[in-house]
Amino acid sequence: MNHETVTKTARQNRTIGRDLIGIGAIIAVAAIGYLLFPDNLALLTRIIAIALLVLSLDLVTGYCGVATLGHAALFGSGAYAAGIAAAHFGITNPLLMTLAGILGGAIAGLICGVIILRAHGLPQLVLSISLIYLFHEFANKASSWTGGSDGLSGISPDPLFGVYEFDLWGQTAYVFGVFLLLAVFVLLRFLVRSPFGMLCRGIKEDPLRIMAMGASPKIALIKMYVISGAVAGVGGALNAISTQVVGLDSLSFTQSAESLVMLVLGGTGSLFGALTGTVIFMLFEDYVSAANPFHWLTMVGALLISVVLFAPKGLYGTAAGFIGRRMEKRK
Amino acid sequence: MSAVFDVLNLKKAFSGLTVTNDVSLSMAPGDRVALIGPNGAGKTTFVNLVTGNLRPDSGEVRLNGETVTKIDAIGRVQRGLVRSFQVTRLFQEMTPAEHVALAVLQRDGRAGKMFGNFLSMPDVMDEASVLLAKLGLHDLMHRKVSEIAYGQQRLLEIAMALALKPKVLLLDEPAAGVPQSDTGRIEQALADLPADLAVLMIEHDMDLVFRFAKRVIVLAAGTIIFDGSPADVTKDAAVREAYLGSYANASHAA
């Protein structure tokens, strides 16, 4: 075996190793969460739903460099699609509801992508903010379909596989969520290192260079937006199935901005970073808001400022960089 | 041999100032042409008009006989007109292998594939490693670009361009910014370019021009003032006038 094959195999083994570590980590964290918070599975399920939104945001922001503060439009559309399918069309099979969420998210992704990608930088950000307000207002006004500001209720999903009921304890929803997250994670790991993933990383760094190779950055980015929409849609559907209600807050600017904050907290451009950021932010928020209901937002702010100042690559990004350098030195 | 690349009466003005004035040239497969000219002669504008990054006011660009004047830059690359950049534009976090593999996949219309890793695509890996070996980059193929020397990055630019299997290659100052010790490698790479490829090189380094080009085109004030053999270019009165004029102005300014 020559030198090149050795490095190549080593690299392949390393990526497969990281896949397995990732899957193991998700299962381990999910199990620990279940043991630590058996009475608060609703929070954990919500974390998974938001993690799917943050993963989806990472695809366009972290991997492609698109600036957006309106990404909850994709999440909310998925949630409403799943909710409307159940409440208005009697599609109460949780898997079909998830499929409706994927479809709703992907369509919202296509719409948002086509509009947002017309601009770059600041105008792009403004377009994304306008879009989330438009989506929000649309859902508010179409109240016969969405329940308007009262929220969409009357969602009662069937038992999963006809056996496991989505009950008050939330065990089914939690386990269902963990499986959805694992499936999405594995698919995205394939995606980000596929030729398409490589193309997107290139676009993030230098779209003109990609054009000089004869590829269209715009088409690739729109494709990525649709995929991102599907992922956010899974999160939205999970939220609709587990809470059995869809509110306007799932289509809000606040939700969009918070998901961006979580992504930056964990580290952009890495699936692990997106997951880390979501878990830490939401647990921290839950903890400090209970410990100090008056000043908890100040503490969240302080955490964010210190991360941005002292760990600009995010918590996961900085830690991974540190460990990587240590391992390099040891070699 | 019939022309693979034609430029016919290309004109471009920016708010009244004519930057490219009635430029025509024709190249056949295997041609080695150098485009030179003093600063401000309109070389960059000419390249941008040819690659489709700028729209000409009038005139035509043809590739393999097909008029591509109305086709955008991406379409022209897909038809075989590939350029390299004066300042390297590489992806800092990617490896040379990834750069070349991406170019190979893009050329074959496989860059949109969402599954599979190029490391496990033997045809892509083979092509990439053969190409990188030719340019002496084989040992670095799995390093990050940010970790390799500038001269090697320039070679990688050439490798990427070649991976697209162009019919016409525009090299924009391939040796710019490369330390003297590395220019030999670049010259070797230029000498080894595929024989049937038409190459148009824009270059300031006259030594390199004389060694590489079989034909020299001199652009001054947006017009071609000389088109002939390297041996004749230094004897040409108009060329001397253009260069001496600019040197005279430069020394005045200094």
Side-chain angles (χ1 to χ4, degrees):
Chain A
M1 220 164 29
N2 62 16
H3 171 70
E4 177 207 319
T5 342
V6 174
T7 30
K8 198 183 98 179
T9 329
R11 280 169 67 89
Q12 272 176 326
N13 285 344
R14 205 160 55 200
T15 43
I16 293 169
R18 288 186 56 176
D19 287 352
L20 293 178
I21 291 174
I23 293 169
I26 292 176
I27 294 172
V29 171
I32 294 171
Y34 185 86
L35 294 174
L36 286 183
F37 307 99
D39 305 327
N40 207 353
L41 292 180
L43 170 71
L44 300 184
T45 310
R46 168 127 185 107
I47 291 180
I48 294 176
I50 299 298
L52 287 162
L53 166 62
V54 178
L55 278 176
S56 141
L57 177 64
D58 198 17
L59 290 182
V60 295
T61 300
Y63 285 93
C64 299
V66 178
T68 167
L69 273 169
H71 213 65
L74 282 57
F75 177 82
S77 299
Y80 274 110
I84 288 170
H88 292 281
F89 296 99
I91 300 172
T92 47
N93 180 325
L95 293 175
L96 288 179
M97 285 173 71
T98 310
L99 204 63
I102 291 173
L103 211 62
I107 292 170
L110 180 65
I111 295 170
C112 289
V114 167
I115 295 171
I116 287 175
L117 295 170
R118 294 194 71 84
H120 296 282
L122 221 46
Q124 190 171 58
L125 212 56
V126 173
L127 272 181
S128 72
I129 296 172
S130 325
L131 270 174
I132 186 68
Y133 279 116
L134 279 175
F135 270 73
H136 186 273
E137 201 43 37
F138 181 76
N140 190 19
K141 286 278 146 52
S143 54
S144 58
W145 285 97
T146 62
S149 52
D150 295 337
L152 176 66
S153 52
I155 304 167
S156 42
D158 293 341
L160 188 60
F161 306 123
V163 183
Y164 307 103
E165 280 195 48
F166 288 92
D167 53 17
L168 220 55
W169 306 108
Q171 279 172 348
T172 309
Y174 182 55
V175 175
F176 183 52
V178 172
F179 273 104
L180 286 180
L181 182 64
L182 281 173
V184 168
F185 177 80
V186 170
L187 288 176
L188 292 187
R189 285 290 290 178
F190 277 116
L191 181 77
V192 297
R193 57 166 187 262
S194 68
F196 178 71
M198 207 155 64
L199 185 69
C200 288
R201 275 189 287 147
I203 292 170
K204 181 189 178 189
E205 225 175 301
D206 190 347
L208 277 180
R209 188 71 187 83
I210 291 292
M211 286 170 80
M213 292 169 68
S216 160
K218 188 131 187 209
I219 291 174
L221 290 182
I222 288 179
K223 274 190 204 167
M224 195 53 134
Y225 240 99
V226 172
I227 296 170
S228 172
V231 172
V234 175
L238 174 63
N239 210 36
I241 292 167
S242 61
T243 60
Q244 311 197 351
V245 61
V246 181
L248 282 176
D249 60 328
S250 65
L251 267 179
S252 66
F253 172 74
T254 316
Q255 186 64 72
S256 306
E258 256 184 20
S259 59
L260 186 62
V261 166
M262 290 182 226
L263 179 59
V264 173
L265 182 72
T268 57
S270 137
L271 301 180
F272 293 114
L275 294 178
T276 315
T278 315
V279 171
I280 291 179
F281 182 92
M282 293 195 64
L283 286 182
F284 187 79
E285 190 187 59
D286 184 66
Y287 178 74
V288 292
S289 64
N292 191 335
F294 296 107
H295 298 297
W296 70 278
L297 269 174
T298 321
M299 289 186 221
V300 170
L303 170 76
L304 290 175
I305 289 173
S306 49
V307 166
V308 170
L309 286 182
F310 300 113
K313 283 182 177 167
L315 290 171
Y316 173 78
T318 309
F322 181 73
I323 294 168
R325 277 195 302 278
R326 285 289 291 269
M327 281 169 65
E328 199 90 335
K329 258 187 205 165
R330 207 175 293 170
K331 260 188 229 164
Chain B
M1 224 186 288
S2 66
V4 65
F5 176 57
D6 293 285
V7 175
L8 303 167
N9 309 103
L10 215 54
K11 273 188 194 167
K12 178 76 186 175
F14 292 110
S15 52
L17 180 70
T18 308
V19 185
T20 303
N21 192 5
D22 208 13
V23 171
S24 302
L25 65 91
S26 176
M27 285 170 67
D31 275 2
R32 297 287 186 267
V33 183
L35 178 70
I36 63 171
N39 283 334
K43 299 189 292 285
T44 307
T45 305
F46 175 72
V47 169
N48 285 334
L49 289 171
V50 165
T51 55
N53 293 334
L54 275 178
R55 275 274 162 95
D57 297 335
S58 65
E60 257 184 39
V61 179
R62 286 188 199 153
L63 272 175
N64 255 339
E66 183 192 359
T67 304
V68 294
T69 323
K70 291 210 164 63
I71 292 172
D72 66 1
I74 296 173
R76 293 187 199 188
V77 176
Q78 288 166 350
R79 284 167 177 76
L81 175 75
V82 172
R83 69 171 296 183
S84 76
F85 291 89
Q86 188 182 342
V87 179
T88 51
R89 303 184 75 139
L90 298 169
F91 311 118
Q92 296 301 313
E93 293 293 306
M94 289 197 202
T95 64
E98 285 176 313
H99 279 85
V100 175
L102 189 56
V104 169
L105 288 162
Q106 167 58 31
R107 179 199 74 207
D108 295 348
R110 288 191 285 168
K113 268 189 66 151
M114 296 185 183
F115 281 92
N117 186 333
F118 78 96
L119 289 170
S120 49
M121 298 176 187
D123 56 323
V124 177
M125 273 310 280
D126 287 349
E127 194 177 339
S129 55
V130 167
L131 194 52
L132 286 167
K134 244 187 223 168
L135 293 166
L137 296 171
H138 192 267
D139 293 342
L140 305 167
M141 66 189 284
H142 293 303
R143 291 270 198 89
K144 274 186 190 173
V145 161
S146 55
E147 295 169 1
I148 70 176
Y150 191 72
Q152 291 160 336
Q153 295 190 11
R154 305 258 28 165
L155 288 166
L156 179 55
E157 279 271 352
I158 297 174
M160 275 178 87
L162 289 179
L164 294 168
K165 292 222 169 117
K167 297 190 179 73
V168 180
L169 178 60
L170 296 179
L171 292 171
D172 196 350
E173 298 196 35
V178 176
Q180 202 70 43
S181 53
D182 287 355
T183 45
R185 284 229 67 117
I186 302 230
E187 275 188 47
Q188 191 56 48
L190 296 178
D192 292 343
L193 289 174
D196 58 344
L197 178 64
V199 185
L200 180 66
M201 178 171 79
I202 297 148
E203 186 55 71
H204 278 298
D205 180 349
M206 292 311 286
D207 290 338
L208 186 57
V209 167
F210 287 129
R211 277 199 290 273
F212 170 79
K214 303 280 182 296
R215 175 179 155 201
V216 177
I217 294 173
V218 185
L219 203 63
T223 339
I224 293 182
I225 58 166
F226 177 87
D227 185 345
S229 77
D232 296 334
V233 70
T234 45
K235 296 176 201 151
D236 190 272
V239 175
R240 289 179 134 178
E241 168 70 16
Y243 267 91
L244 283 176
S246 70
Y247 284 133
N249 289 340
S251 58
H252 261 293

